[in-house]
Amino acid sequence: LAKTTQPISMDSYEGQEVNITCSHNNIATNDYITWYQQFPSQGPRFIIQGYKTKVTNEVASLFIPADRKSSTLSLPRVSLSDTAVYYCLVGAQGPLFSGGYNKLIFGAGTRLAVHP
Amino acid sequence: EPEVTQTPSHQVTQMGQEVILRCVPISNHLYFYWYRQILGQKVEFLVSFYNNEISEKSEIFDDQFSVERPDGSNFTLKIRSTKLEDSAMYFCASSDDSQGTQYFGPGTRLLVL
């Protein structure tokens, strides 16, 4: 499983766009990039997943450059309720991978604090 | 939207006692997982379960731990003889595919005294 590196913490203000970058230099060909969000005392929640280029859903966008050695989670116009820990996970998860079972390996994540 | 549920939300037990943590995965999911998170630490994988057997387990998942799907809806984690260091949040997750997105429950906070 590819090792990931992301900032330990970030601060932002309501209404701003937040970009959290994750480095994964050893990403393998069949690895997907997945982001989870965790609020205090709750279970992780899936946000977005991508393989290359850009993925967007109602919550966030995920930008993946051509070399796939990093990815950026973009949260548009954050609010106080976006204060959480954000995890970048890289592994063989997704439609390109067949066989095996998928345990998620969480790092320390990025602790995002949104201020009024 | 379907969700994973877990009971109890909190459990306090004495060291050496057995505890059973319960989970109801999303109804059409076939792959089930337990994770734990010690306070202030990372979320750690414990075990994955499919087709009524363990698919993979971590080093944490020793002989004191067991999992079971006793009926068509519940998925349980049993700790036979709890230790102080078992105090943590325990999360159940499920997915509809071995490579599919895992959906987590709200967790059970276990405190071993």
Side-chain angles (χ1 to χ4, degrees):
Chain A
L1 294 168
K3 182 174 168 12
T4 60
T5 303
Q6 50 183 126
I8 293 173
S9 64
M10 292 181 70
D11 288 274
S12 185
Y13 293 91
E14 283 189 291
Q16 289 190 335
E17 177 183 78
V18 170
N19 296 307
I20 306 174
T21 296
C22 178
S23 298
H24 27 79
N25 291 318
N26 297 323
I27 190 167
T29 304
N30 59 358
D31 284 344
Y32 272 68
I33 300 151
T34 309
W35 286 79
Y36 278 80
Q37 173 193 55
Q38 186 181 27
F39 297 114
S41 299
Q42 293 188 29
R45 184 175 79 104
F46 171 85
I47 303 175
I48 198 166
Q49 181 183 75
Y51 184 78
K52 61 181 179 181
T53 61
K54 177 184 173 183
V55 179
T56 297
N57 62 22
E58 65 278 6
V59 175
S61 295
L62 179 59
F63 298 92
I64 305 167
D67 66 6
R68 303 197 332 119
K69 292 185 185 301
S70 67
S71 58
T72 299
L73 175 73
S74 181
L75 304 172
R77 296 179 299 283
V78 293
S79 64
L80 297 177
S81 61
D82 292 315
T83 294
V85 179
Y86 292 82
Y87 299 98
C88 164
L89 290 84
V90 173
Q93 176 182 21
L96 282 185
F97 182 74
S98 61
Y101 298 96
N102 179 22
K103 65 182 179 189
L104 298 179
I105 305 296
F106 288 84
T110 296
R111 192 170 296 275
L112 172 65
V114 179
H115 305 281
Chain B
E1 184 180 319
E3 56 184 23
V4 176
T5 59
Q6 291 185 241
T7 54
S9 58
H10 295 77
Q11 177 139 12
V12 181
T13 190
Q14 295 291 323
M15 192 169 55
Q17 295 296 304
E18 174 184 283
V19 295
I20 297 176
L21 310 182
R22 292 183 168 78
C23 168
V24 178
I26 293 172
S27 63
N28 63 337
H29 285 187
L30 300 175
Y31 298 83
F32 312 115
Y33 311 84
W34 283 101
Y35 294 80
R36 80 170 186 191
Q37 186 174 32
I38 295 171
L39 187 63
Q41 297 188 24
K42 300 175 188 178
V43 177
E44 301 173 287
F45 168 79
L46 292 178
V47 66
S48 58
F49 189 87
Y50 169 71
N51 201 25
N52 281 321
E53 59 183 31
I54 290 173
S55 315
E56 185 174 2
K57 58 184 180 180
S58 71
E59 293 177 353
I60 303 167
F61 195 89
D62 61 22
D63 292 345
Q64 294 302 310
F65 290 87
S66 62
V67 289
E68 190 179 31
R69 187 155 164 82
D71 53 43
S73 60
N74 290 285
F75 180 49
T76 62
L77 174 70
K78 183 194 291 187
I79 309 175
R80 229 177 308 278
S81 177
T82 50
K83 303 189 281 283
L84 296 176
E85 54 266 36
D86 293 328
S87 295
M89 281 285 281
Y90 287 82
F91 297 110
C92 172
S94 69
S95 64
D96 61 356
D97 183 90
S98 63
Q99 304 307 313
T101 299
Q102 291 182 31
Y103 295 88
F104 284 74
T108 294
R109 184 177 296 281
L110 175 66
L111 179 60
V112 182
L113 301 176

